[in-house]
Amino acid sequence: MADLRVSVTEAFRHRFGAPPAHVVRAPGRVNLIGEHTDYNDGFVMPLAIEQAVWLAVGPRDDDRVVLHSTRAPEPADFRLGAMERGDGWGEYAKGVAWALQAQGHELRGLEGVLASDVPEGAGLSSSAALELAVARALSEGAGLDWDPAVMARTAQRAENEWVGVRCGVMDQMASACGVAGHAVLLDCRSLAVTPTPLPAWTTVLVLDTGTRRGLVDSAYNARRETCERVARVLSVPALRDATLDGLQAAEDVLTPTQVRRARHVVTENARVLAAAEAMRQGDAARVGALMAASHASLRDDYEVSSPALNAFVEAAQAQPGCYGARMTGAGFGGCVVALVASDRAEAVAEAATLAYRQRTGHAPTAYRVRAVGGASLEPVPALFL
Ligand code: GLA
């Protein structure tokens, strides 16, 4: 939100005694459809959202990077010339600096203050937003060209190789390449970005179950390994290249679980492309039906949903004006995304929240999200110039 732009600027001036040189913003994302397809070279359809990481920065004379976060007591503090692994949130910043340097870029030290209103662990990509904010600030400080897709890959590399999470590229691409007022169809193999308009008179709701995922990294990595194993058995580069016929033909040499996992990926890729087509035609009902089918597949074939996610999806889909709902992000907890008729958005949010709370006893939240542009350099508030 715009007030974080002001508050990080104020916090910067308070801490360092001068206004920042730059303020950067990098958004979180919600994924409309296309789950667990990105690391299979497939298709996804996220939108970058207003909730974002904001970072006010200024240059330093040495090679230190010092970043203070309003969410953490300890700053990220490291030297570009002597990078060592540690733990805590600063590893995301360090990983980005490491990945940029590994590509041969010469970086300069900087100091800054960051704040975020992307909820953590909710499946809305708070880490990717942090990575892209740091990438944007380091690039600006070093005078590097900003190529959003290249930077998304760099941030993914930071997370894969420095932080040690084997995520795909969707979250970083969404934060880097978001387009205002649009979802973006991403081809996770070519990194082609196709802005895709939301159907007229529809609103995207985020329904937060109030539950947070546990053990998600190990389950995530296990799913990914299964996909890679099935692709090898089918002799395709990735499950993006698999077909239902090919899968059926290999059923004898696969376990039933492997078949179900791969079936999710194959059918989900098809659903994303069908949803993009339906969106171009403004067919909200069709998009919603595809979202509902996506949820069923994630619940039954991929097995990454949770009782709370299922309950919230059901509560939302029971409301008039809800076209479709599904879990969003890695799963096991976090948020549901729903496509609803704009004039029913509030009613759906209220009724679904009430029904979900009564059924589960959890403390949910619900809000509309707006699709915004990808990571950007923002004007330093005039007040401080
Ligand atoms: C997490 C990962 C993404 C993607 C989703 C599932 O958000 O970071 O790369 O795999 O899970 O679709």
Side-chain angles (χ1 to χ4, degrees):
M1 304 274 162
D3 47 329
L4 287 188
R5 180 170 70 108
V6 173
S7 62
V8 291
T9 306
E10 264 169 5
F12 184 98
R13 197 178 60 159
H14 182 73
R15 189 173 278 278
F16 300 110
H22 306 290
V23 175
V24 303
R25 174 197 62 92
R29 65 101 187 92
V30 65
N31 188 21
L32 205 56
I33 192 162
E35 220 64 83
H36 290 278
T37 46
D38 63 348
Y39 52 82
N40 291 298
D41 275 4
F43 300 97
V44 295
M45 179 100 71
L47 41 134
I49 57 178
E50 262 175 312
Q51 286 75 8
V53 169
W54 290 83
L55 172 57
V57 286
R60 285 180 63 101
D61 294 335
D62 57 15
D63 78 339
R64 264 174 77 197
V65 173
V66 185
L67 299 175
H68 298 267
S69 163
T70 55
R71 274 184 177 172
E74 293 298 322
D77 185 346
F78 57 91
R79 287 191 45 216
L80 291 164
M83 306 257 308
E84 277 168 32
R85 280 197 170 70
D87 45 28
W89 72 273
E91 294 310 292
Y92 292 96
K94 224 188 269 178
V96 169
W98 167 81
L100 283 167
Q101 295 192 128
Q103 289 168 353
H105 294 304
E106 248 174 66
L107 301 180
R108 296 181 49 191
L110 54 80
E111 57 199 6
V113 177
L114 65 92
S116 171
D117 58 0
V118 187
E120 280 176 37
L124 301 179
S125 297
S126 57
S127 333
L130 172 59
E131 290 156 14
L132 267 300
V134 172
R136 195 77 174 95
L138 286 171
S139 299
E140 199 56 32
L144 308 182
D145 287 341
W146 181 256
D147 179 327
V150 170
M151 287 299 169
R153 271 278 186 240
T154 303
Q156 182 202 13
R157 184 172 175 201
E159 191 148 342
N160 288 170
E161 295 179 36
W162 188 273
V163 182
V165 178
R166 297 193 64 212
C167 63
V169 77
M170 164 169 70
D171 306 346
Q172 291 77 12
M173 280 295 287
S175 185
C177 305
V179 177
H182 292 70
V184 285
L185 169 64
L186 302 177
D187 178 334
C188 297
R189 175 172 277 165
S190 69
L191 297 191
V193 177
T194 310
T196 308
L198 291 161
W201 316 116
T202 63
T203 292
V204 176
L205 288 181
V206 166
L207 307 171
D208 189 333
T209 59
T211 64
R212 292 295 176 256
R213 52 201 202 194
L215 294 177
V216 68
D217 287 352
S218 54
Y220 185 92
N221 288 344
R223 294 296 183 288
R224 190 170 172 158
E225 269 160 36
T226 302
C227 291
E228 287 164 0
R229 191 162 319 134
V230 177
R232 276 197 299 275
V233 172
L234 299 180
S235 301
V236 290
L239 284 186
R240 184 242 182 86
D241 308 298
T243 61
L244 286 181
D245 286 348
L247 194 56
Q248 206 175 10
E251 263 185 25
D252 294 351
V253 289
L254 295 169
T255 67
T257 302
Q258 287 173 330
V259 172
R260 282 187 293 118
R261 301 288 189 260
R263 187 169 59 199
H264 164 72
V265 176
V266 173
T267 57
E268 184 78 348
N269 274 326
R271 280 187 289 270
V272 178
L273 296 177
E277 185 53 36
M279 284 168 72
R280 281 189 283 270
Q281 290 168 5
D283 188 345
R286 173 96 179 112
V287 178
L290 290 161
M291 291 169 72
S294 166
H295 185 76
S297 177
L298 288 156
R299 181 191 61 208
D300 302 334
D301 275 354
Y302 217 63
E303 293 181 283
V304 289
S305 191
S306 71
L309 287 165
N310 296 339
F312 222 161
V313 165
E314 282 161 31
Q317 289 190 153
Q319 307 310 321
C322 178
Y323 293 111
R326 53 180 290 279
M327 55 153 275
T328 189
F332 302 103
C335 293
V336 162
V337 61
L339 185 70
V340 302
S342 297
D343 60 353
R344 295 280 308 156
E346 226 146 279
V348 173
E350 260 173 44
T353 301
L354 184 66
Y356 168 80
R357 189 186 291 124
Q358 280 171 349
R359 186 164 150 195
T360 63
H362 295 307
T365 47
Y367 42 93
R368 295 168 187 250
V369 288
R370 231 167 42 87
V372 301
S376 58
L377 211 55
E378 297 286 321
V380 176
L383 191 62
F384 301 99
L385 290 176

